[in-house]
Amino acid sequence: MADAIFEDPRLAVLYDPFDPDRSDLDPYVAMADEFGARSVVDLGCGTGTLACLLAARGKDVTGVDPALASLDVARTKPGADRVRWIHGDATTLPPMQVDLVVMTANVAQVFVTDEAWAATLVGIRAALRPGGRLVFESRVPERRAWERWTREHTYAREDVAGVGVVETWCDLGEVVGPVVSFRWTNVLPDGDVILSDSTLRFRGREETEASLVAHGFAVDEVRDAPDRPGAEHVYVASAPARAIPRMGC
């Protein structure tokens, strides 16, 4: 189930106004071109910015998200009619064989349990053609990004067109090993306060690579995230081509 910040329609429409600079998506657009991907699944597509960018470049794009409110926002964007939108996740994908699956932002970290992460990798592996790639980012645990998830460091106030002045901030909750919980507080113009609780799992590089290999991927490389140097790893994994059976003499 998606967090309220993505699932509540009153909050979903605020996502883009509070995060207007999406230059963090440029590397994913570049990698889609680098890998010659013609078909792409944007898993956890949210409000659809990346999906629409890729579709504008002539890619066959499928945007997938469990938050219906976010998909409703995505469908209003220019070029959204070129994207196939699916309300679901990697475990509910229809049969497909695509060149590339991407997970941006915190998507790969929302799968807190080993079972949820494994099911996601199984679903992605089934959706990729032989030789297709999975690309996703994940925060480096050693950088302890959660220590700045406080009101002091996250408070923002925006006058959102059609909505009014909105205030929002984050408060850190529990940190239990690699699992970090936090809460977003959102104050709407009418005074309503909407809370959204989230939990992420910070997997280290060794654990992440091992999980990919265990689910049939080859880890091609691990890149540094250009927008957060040293703070995030960008994993590039591939689905090995299936061996061609030898014919008898």
Side-chain angles (χ1 to χ4, degrees), residues 33 37-40 51-61 82:
D33 289 340
R38 291 175 293 179
S39 54
V40 184
C52 291
L53 285 172
L54 292 169
R57 298 178 71 86
K59 314 292 185 187
D60 180 4
V61 183
R82 303 176 187 172

Side-chain angles (χ1 to χ4, degrees), residues 43 90-91 93 98 101-103 111 117-129 133-134 136 217 239:
L43 190 61
T91 68
L93 291 174
V98 301
V101 174
V102 298
M103 291 187 286
F111 308 104
W117 179 234
T120 297
L121 293 179
V122 169
I124 292 171
R125 181 70 176 82
L128 283 171
R129 66 164 177 80
R133 289 181 173 87
L134 164 63
F136 65 92
F217 292 92

Side-chain angles (χ1 to χ4, degrees), residues 116-229:
W117 179 234
T120 297
L121 293 179
V122 169
I124 292 171
R125 181 70 176 82
L128 283 171
R129 66 164 177 80
R133 289 181 173 87
L134 164 63
V135 177
F136 65 92
E137 61 189 74
S138 186
R139 295 174 186 261
V140 177
E142 292 77 11
R143 293 294 296 270
R144 302 175 66 86
W146 59 84
E147 292 181 347
R148 294 180 62 84
W149 294 352
T150 63
R151 178 167 179 162
E152 177 187 1
H153 292 106
T154 60
Y155 177 84
R157 183 178 185 273
E158 291 287 340
D159 190 351
V160 180
V163 177
V165 176
V166 178
E167 296 177 276
T168 183
W169 65 88
C170 180
D171 290 304
L172 181 64
E174 287 189 324
V175 180
V176 182
V179 178
V180 179
S181 297
F182 52 99
R183 167 174 287 177
W184 282 98
T185 298
N186 306 272
V187 184
L188 303 186
D190 61 4
D192 280 357
V193 178
I194 308 176
L195 304 178
S196 179
D197 293 320
S198 301
T199 303
L200 300 178
R201 178 163 173 174
F202 285 71
R203 293 179 177 84
R205 178 169 174 174
E206 183 176 346
E207 178 186 3
T208 301
E209 291 193 30
S211 68
L212 289 168
V213 171
H215 289 88
F217 292 92
V219 180
D220 298 331
E221 58 180 315
V222 180
R223 303 182 180 184
D224 197 21
D227 61 314
R228 290 184 178 136

